[in-house]
Amino acid sequence: MLPLQIVVIGGGAAGFFGAIACAKANPHAEVTLLEASRQPLAKVLISGGGRCNVTHACFEPEELVQNYPRGAKALRGALTRFGPQETVAWFAAGGVYLKTEADGRMFPVTNSSETIVECLIKAVAKSGVKLRIGTHVTSVTTADKEFDILLKSGETIKCDRLLLATGSSLVGYKIVRELGHKIEPPVPSLFTFNIVDPQLRELAGVSVNPAQLRLSAGGKSQLQQTGPLLITHWGLSGPAVLKLSAWGARVLHESHYQATLLINWLPHLQQEQVREKVLAVKDEWGKKAIALHRGVDLPHRLWQYIIARVGITTEDRWAEISSKTLNRLLQELTQGQYLINGKGAFKEEFVTCGGVNLKEVNFKTMESRLVPGLYFAGEILDIDGVTGGFNFQSAWTTGYLAGVAMATSK
């Protein structure tokens, strides 16, 4: 009897993990991993600023899935079978130890993504997976429970089971559609906001933690995030912005990245408490310049920018401020309005909202509900997480489950 022929298309995190899991679960199977580029795991190498945010120290699936704008329900069960705890143990078994940072992100102790890449390449070699780089797949057909994979070179590879882990590549989407699956339209997720305000951009490098952001786009209901905010040369970035961009990925795309952002610079205070603080400084420092005596905990340059937005000059004294101007200042501090005019990039992550419709996939095995023997893992699925290691965890989880299922299913 011929050994089981298994092919994985896509040499990224999910593809590598799936191929390794498959070869380990069934040492008699012949597993081939195809990667179009000459550099497998390229995204892993540059992720996390070259440090690779492997996963997140959140070990309760119920809590973990709240970090996935799309795919939370589908991943809930999958994460109980292979979650962050199993990820940490898997890499430790390969000699790679992870550390947890204050915000829960987990990195290799070496602080180098090369450590993760080397570990995965060694594991592929050790498990007997045949890795073929520079191998372009052009199409896939299926008949009689067998797949024919046509390569750009003209070669055809036959296999019994196929794992698609092609990320957000157009070729991957084309293959999925040809095999009868539906693709939810891919749009960017995890990006920064462009704001056309030269005075704001002059504050590049100033950060506030926390700030509360409320997004209104395309007349849709408001989305909200609270967390660190960073002012940049093009507008706004930081975890709060990136999370908001992920949750608002579809609505922002539909509104052509034109939206209104309300910023509360002092979310730890009630509006009345902000008023009390401002009135207290007005009473105590009546003869002092407003620009130099702020009374609220904000960076000095940001305070000067905010008062300028309501028409207060650097010479104006607290005693001279009218009730109307005071109210405008309070509004600016707690509900400042900014116009988003386009999106920037977030270079450490390349995350797409959209992909294979999740109802068409069995999340116990990652097998297609439409095509027997076809499996999916990673970003090709309509799953995406916020920044913090969640997208890699989804890749490890779906890759592992697909790999084991391909190796062991009848």
Side-chain angles (χ1 to χ4, degrees), residues 17 24 54-61 64 76-94 96 98 106 392-393 396-398 400-401:
F17 223 66
K24 282 185 175 178
V54 178
T55 186
H56 202 93
C58 178
F59 304 109
E60 290 298 326
L64 190 63
R76 172 68 183 80
L79 286 164
T80 63
R81 293 188 283 282
F82 194 95
Q85 210 157 349
E86 288 76 18
T87 300
V88 172
W90 191 97
F91 280 103
V96 175
L98 306 182
M106 299 189 78
F392 271 133
Q393 184 55 56
W396 312 133
T397 296
T398 54
Y400 180 84
L401 295 179

Side-chain angles (χ1 to χ4, degrees), residues 171-199:
V171 174
Y173 291 149
K174 174 179 150 302
I175 291 167
V176 168
R177 288 192 185 99
E178 287 172 353
L179 290 170
H181 273 274
K182 183 184 175 186
I183 292 285
E184 299 301 327
V187 302
S189 182
L190 287 184
F191 48 84
T192 58
F193 296 159
N194 290 351
I195 294 179
V196 183
D197 181 342
Q199 282 73 41

